[in-house]
Amino acid sequence: MGGKYRRMKIGVFDSGLGGLFTLGAIAKALPEYDYVYLGDTKRLPYGSRSQETIYQFLKEGVNFLFAKDCALIIVACNTASAEALRKIQQSYVPKKYPGRNVLGMIVPMTEASASFARVGLVATSATVSSGAYDREFKKRAKKSKIFSLATPLLVPFIEQGEIALMRPALKEYLEYFKNKRIDALLLGCTHYGIVKKEFQKLLPKGVAILSQDTVVPKKTKEYLARHPEIASQLSKKGTRAFYVTDITPELTKLANKWFGKSIKIKRATIDKK
Ligand code: DGL
């Protein structure tokens, strides 16, 4: 496709607003592209839902973003990446949207952690119980070890901005890694990068923190360089559009904070097909 006909965008999907923190980092690294964000705030959290439900929600989100002319969708939500992305990538998208693609968090994050010998993973209950991180990590780091822990209480604290209240829970959770001698901790959830410093304070010095706001921008750049068939469709007007399935003044405040600047958010109507 010639440059003259470029009109497609990059979509970023999340169960809520945490993905805005990831999008902020991607858009900072690749500012020239046009981005459309969808946060399914009406149905958050995904982390405690069944695989079947998460698949249905992701499918609807993907349909929405493709209808907004996205050629590539980045699923910033780890839970949706872990529970539903493979099926979407293998059967749904190739049939319904040939020539477009959907990427998730598991592959880039495990690639980034594969050079470490002992890795800890913190994520939602659904992400951990899916086993997706363990599976993908083992593929890339056969001799390394991964220790996974579900940390379901963190998202509500972070969303409420209750960082002081979160600290004791985080401390208790991280006890699990005490005797595991990890050399890296993989933050397998959209929200955890937002409180990266809190993790840092509680982890022994020298433990690397892998978070999607630092890993994914670089990986997206590399992906676009490897996939000219997608990159050549993308327009470069530097626009950003933000959609959520439910909106309140509190959510707007949070969205501005996590994206890093004041944004205009529209309400999305999701087609339940
Ligand atoms: N976005 C989810 C994730 O990254 C966290 C919030 C939720 O449970 O929906 O796993």
Side-chain angles (χ1 to χ4, degrees):
M1 216 176 273
K4 207 173 147 192
Y5 303 108
R6 290 167 183 262
R7 59 175 193 92
M8 306 296 274
K9 303 170 183 82
I10 298 176
V12 174
F13 175 80
D14 187 28
S15 56
L17 299 176
L20 282 172
F21 189 64
T22 311
L23 171 57
I26 300 172
K28 205 168 169 195
L30 299 162
E32 66 275 31
Y33 293 109
D34 298 296
Y35 295 93
V36 186
Y37 183 85
L38 175 64
D40 195 4
T41 45
K42 197 173 185 172
R43 303 188 289 195
L44 175 101
Y46 283 15
S48 47
R49 293 187 188 272
S50 71
Q51 197 261 331
E52 207 184 349
T53 300
I54 296 166
Y55 174 74
Q56 181 61 29
F57 289 175
L58 180 60
K59 200 168 83 175
E60 291 164 12
V62 159
N63 285 335
F64 177 88
L65 287 168
F66 279 147
K68 294 277 175 222
D69 284 339
C70 291
L72 177 69
I73 297 173
I74 299 169
V75 179
C77 179
N78 288 261
T79 305
S81 298
E83 288 279 44
L85 186 62
R86 201 138 56 146
K87 203 165 147 199
I88 293 274
Q89 282 172 329
Q90 288 177 351
S91 47
Y92 190 68
V93 172
K95 255 188 241 146
K96 212 167 165 208
Y97 302 100
R100 306 200 211 183
N101 206 359
V102 185
L103 304 174
M105 292 298 109
I106 317 289
V107 169
M109 293 305 290
T110 49
E111 275 175 3
S113 52
S115 59
F116 295 94
R118 301 174 73 85
V119 173
L121 165 76
V122 280
T124 64
S125 304
T127 299
V128 170
S129 67
S130 75
Y133 265 113
D134 300 62
R135 217 167 30 241
E136 292 298 322
F137 182 78
K138 282 281 156 211
K139 266 192 216 165
R140 294 177 174 87
K142 293 195 173 56
K143 291 195 187 129
S144 302
K145 279 202 155 49
I146 185 161
F147 306 93
S148 305
L149 180 72
T151 48
L153 294 178
L154 301 184
V155 167
F157 281 127
I158 299 167
E159 298 226 308
Q160 295 302 317
E162 297 284 8
I163 307 307
L165 290 179
M166 180 196 73
R167 272 183 207 123
L170 182 59
K171 190 160 185 269
E172 185 71 30
Y173 279 143
L174 293 181
E175 283 291 309
Y176 169 76
F177 298 109
K178 211 153 200 174
N179 304 318
K180 308 282 189 293
R181 292 179 289 112
I182 55 167
D183 44 20
L185 183 69
L186 195 167
L187 307 184
C189 176
T190 41
H191 291 53
Y192 299 174
I194 298 166
V195 292
K196 206 184 302 185
K197 277 198 195 120
E198 300 297 327
F199 282 90
Q200 221 136 30
K201 276 188 230 160
L202 292 167
L203 287 168
K205 272 211 175 65
V207 175
I209 292 187
L210 302 160
S211 97
Q212 59 197 60
D213 56 295
T214 50
V215 171
V216 175
K218 190 169 161 270
K219 294 288 179 186
T220 306
K221 211 176 204 165
E222 289 169 7
Y223 175 86
L224 291 174
R226 281 199 317 275
H227 292 272
E229 78 288 0
I230 297 277
S232 64
Q233 300 180 49
L234 299 174
S235 52
K236 294 182 175 174
K237 296 192 204 107
T239 65
R240 281 97 180 94
F242 303 92
Y243 293 90
V244 291
T245 48
D246 195 18
I247 188 79
T248 62
E250 285 74 32
L251 286 179
T252 308
K253 235 189 263 165
L254 213 53
N256 292 337
K257 191 167 150 200
W258 288 353
F259 185 65
K261 58 174 105 146
S262 178
I263 55 179
K264 206 166 159 250
I265 307 174
K266 290 180 217 152
R267 191 196 283 260
T269 311
I270 297 272
D271 196 359
K272 295 202 176 75
K273 255 191 267 163

